[in-house]
Amino acid sequence: MFGLASFIRRNYQASYPKEVPKHGTAIRFGLLGATDIAPLALITPAKTHPDVIIAAIAARDRKKAAAYAKKYKIPIVHPNYQALLDDPAIDAVYIALPNAYHLEWATKALEAGKHVLLEKPSVANAQEAATLFRNPLLSKPNSPVLLEAMHFRFHPAWQKLLSLIDQESIFEAHSTQHAPKGLVPLYGNVCKFKLAGGCLLWFGTFNVASLRQVFGAEPVECSDASCDRVPPGNDQEIDRAFSATWRFINGAVGSIEVDMMADGGYSWPLTSEIPTIALPKLTIKHRDVVVEGDLPSDQEHTVTKTVTMWAWSFPFFYHRIDVENKHVVRTRLDGKTVKEWSEIAYVKDYAGDSGVDSWTSYRFQLEEFVAKIRSKPGTGVWVEGEDSISQMKMIDIAYTKAGLPLRSSSAKS
């Protein structure tokens, strides 16, 4: 009962936080686009940050921008994106436009001297990522801050997971995510190739990032990749679901399984088209470790660690980390099992060392973004530009392996 009460309290406070007084020198954000994700990703987290004000918005449809501003109490509505960037009172921008517009508007924002919180995926392909994150403007003194908003990495639960694994001993990791059928409309931007849509790039980018973090390395190759395309009659260059396997150093293997229109998977009859409800799951298996102990000389004791994180991509809502150590005593000669047992620990971490348990991963991310702008130390969690470039390289090789064309920013805003 206490666990349920805590769950309800945390999520209520995360959704309806008490707004704190703002500093006179607070960072003034402008929103590019009247997007569905901005309330969760920035507007609500900003309420509890004394150094952040959501000051302005611009959208292609000014009436939509005005209605959005009224709903979320944003004081200024600019007639277009460039007008917002030209506003000297705006310090930073949040960009959650369709993927095909990220490179153009992130670059223009940097040229206007604005800090940029850029929704994932950063851009449409690795070449564009290199163009953006190696922009000479970013290497100048007092340059703007640019961050790809890979929010889950900033949550204490994810950092706790990383502390519980031994990267050099991992031989297999599998990352899954399923959005129930009906959540993503076929007519939406994610299902348009000209807007750099697709399941892997939009949804699976989290899974790719999870593998790169778990292994702490880049893959040697993409050994296998396949996809299910959206139904006939729709853009056939768009992947609805995607599976891929990459080979890492020391023979380790990482794989993902993602579906943004998932159905079925239930054990009951007549359920094949019912939307799938499943928590994101990340399973990390380590190699056997020999344990020294007081055993007969013809026996060997090994321990195999498996770490599983449930709901890893949105850990603020709920998560659980299962740490299982499986012990086996075998005879050395023929490998016959003499004895086996398991030890399991369940770990959670909602607040970390300096946060609040009702903070979302977006709120923790905002804390680090502001700290970087203010040249404060923060926690050390960050997504470097070269990291974002490597992220897109790993996605590109998977699309190529699956026989799909790379996405690009060919669309004009």
Side-chain angles (χ1 to χ4, degrees):
M1 183 60 72
F2 177 78
L4 177 60
S6 178
F7 171 81
I8 294 172
R9 176 192 58 77
R10 280 189 297 98
N11 283 284
Y12 180 83
Q13 291 176 350
S15 300
Y16 306 100
K18 183 179 179 181
E19 190 158 5
V20 300
K22 305 296 182 176
H23 297 157
T25 57
I27 296 165
R28 296 172 59 84
F29 270 84
L31 307 182
L32 293 193
T35 62
D36 292 337
I37 189 63
L40 176 64
L42 182 61
I43 295 173
T44 301
K47 291 181 179 180
T48 63
H49 202 304
D51 211 14
V52 174
I53 293 173
I54 308 302
I57 184 173
R60 285 180 294 172
D61 184 337
R62 192 170 184 181
K63 289 184 178 179
K64 182 179 180 181
Y68 194 95
K70 182 177 180 180
K71 180 177 180 180
Y72 294 108
K73 300 179 181 178
I74 302 172
I76 301 171
V77 179
H78 283 290
N80 53 57
Y81 301 149
Q82 190 59 53
L84 187 150
L85 296 183
D86 291 339
D87 185 346
I90 297 301
D91 305 304
V93 295
Y94 172 64
I95 301 176
L97 300 170
N99 301 337
Y101 302 146
H102 283 196
L103 176 61
E104 175 188 0
W105 287 104
T107 301
K108 288 181 177 179
L110 294 174
E111 290 171 346
K114 311 301 184 187
H115 305 291
V116 179
L117 182 58
L118 181 61
E119 191 52 66
K120 62 78 194 168
S122 60
V123 286
N125 59 55
Q127 183 177 356
E128 292 183 5
T131 298
L132 178 60
F133 290 99
R134 292 173 183 163
N135 188 315
L137 287 170
L138 295 172
S139 60
K140 293 183 177 181
N142 302 315
S143 61
V145 173
L146 171 62
L147 174 66
E148 181 182 12
M150 201 64 70
H151 68 91
F152 77 93
R153 290 175 51 168
F154 293 85
H155 197 276
W158 182 256
Q159 298 305 314
K160 176 64 72 175
L161 171 79
L162 296 180
S163 73
L164 294 171
I165 61 176
D166 178 5
Q167 291 178 330
E168 294 184 357
S169 299
I170 297 169
F171 79 91
E172 182 179 283
H174 184 57
S175 181
T176 68
Q177 238 188 152
H178 299 82
K181 182 176 67 175
L183 185 66
V184 178
L186 285 167
Y187 58 81
N189 294 334
V190 176
C191 293
K192 296 177 181 178
F193 181 75
K194 69 177 183 179
L195 295 180
C199 179
L200 176 61
L201 187 59
W202 170 71
F203 196 44
T205 189
F206 280 145
N207 300 77
V208 170
S210 72
L211 293 183
R212 294 180 56 248
Q213 283 265 285
V214 163
F215 286 105
E218 306 306 328
V220 176
E221 65 171 347
C222 180
S223 55
D224 185 59
S226 61
C227 71
D228 293 335
R229 301 174 192 244
V230 292
N234 297 283
D235 193 334
Q236 289 302 291
E237 292 173 318
I238 291 295
D239 47 312
R240 185 213 81 197
F242 206 98
S243 298
T245 301
W246 293 265
R247 184 171 62 86
F248 288 79
I249 57 174
N250 299 327
V253 172
S255 58
I256 66 168
E257 179 184 314
V258 292
D259 192 334
M260 64 181 183
M261 301 176 185
D263 54 13
Y266 302 101
S267 57
W268 313 302
L270 306 177
T271 60
S272 62
E273 295 190 8
I274 294 179
T276 300
I277 305 296
L279 289 176
K281 182 181 180 183
L282 175 60
T283 304
I284 305 159
K285 297 182 179 180
H286 295 70
R287 293 182 174 86
D288 294 349
V289 176
V290 176
V291 179
E292 300 297 333
D294 188 15
L295 288 174
S297 60
D298 64 339
Q299 294 180 3
E300 182 179 68
H301 177 191
T302 62
V303 178
T304 306
K305 179 194 280 189
T306 300
V307 180
T308 303
M309 185 169 182
W310 301 89
W312 58 270
S313 55
F314 285 87
F316 57 90
F317 177 72
Y318 164 83
H319 69 267
R320 193 183 79 197
I321 305 171
D322 303 349
V323 183
E324 179 182 11
N325 287 296
K326 184 176 181 180
H327 297 257
V328 180
V329 178
R330 298 184 179 91
T331 56
R332 295 181 186 275
L333 184 61
D334 56 10
K336 183 178 179 180
T337 299
V338 176
K339 182 182 179 181
E340 61 180 351
W341 70 97
S342 292
E343 300 168 341
I344 303 178
Y346 302 105
V347 181
K348 296 178 183 179
D349 190 349
Y350 287 100
D353 295 330
S354 58
V356 177
D357 69 353
S358 60
W359 281 7
T360 65
S361 46
Y362 296 100
R363 178 59 178 82
F364 281 101
Q365 175 180 260
L366 184 60
E367 191 79 2
E368 296 306 307
F369 188 69
V370 171
K372 186 70 72 170
I373 291 173
R374 299 301 197 199
S375 299
K376 294 181 178 179
T379 63
V381 179
W382 193 251
V383 183
E384 299 289 350
E386 291 300 315
D387 192 335
S388 292
I389 295 171
S390 295
Q391 171 79 4
M392 292 308 307
K393 286 180 179 178
M394 189 164 166
I395 290 172
D396 281 3
I397 61 175
Y399 267 131
T400 300
K401 189 70 175 182
L404 285 176
L406 300 185
R407 273 76 279 246
S408 70
S409 293
S410 56
K412 298 299 181 182
S413 58

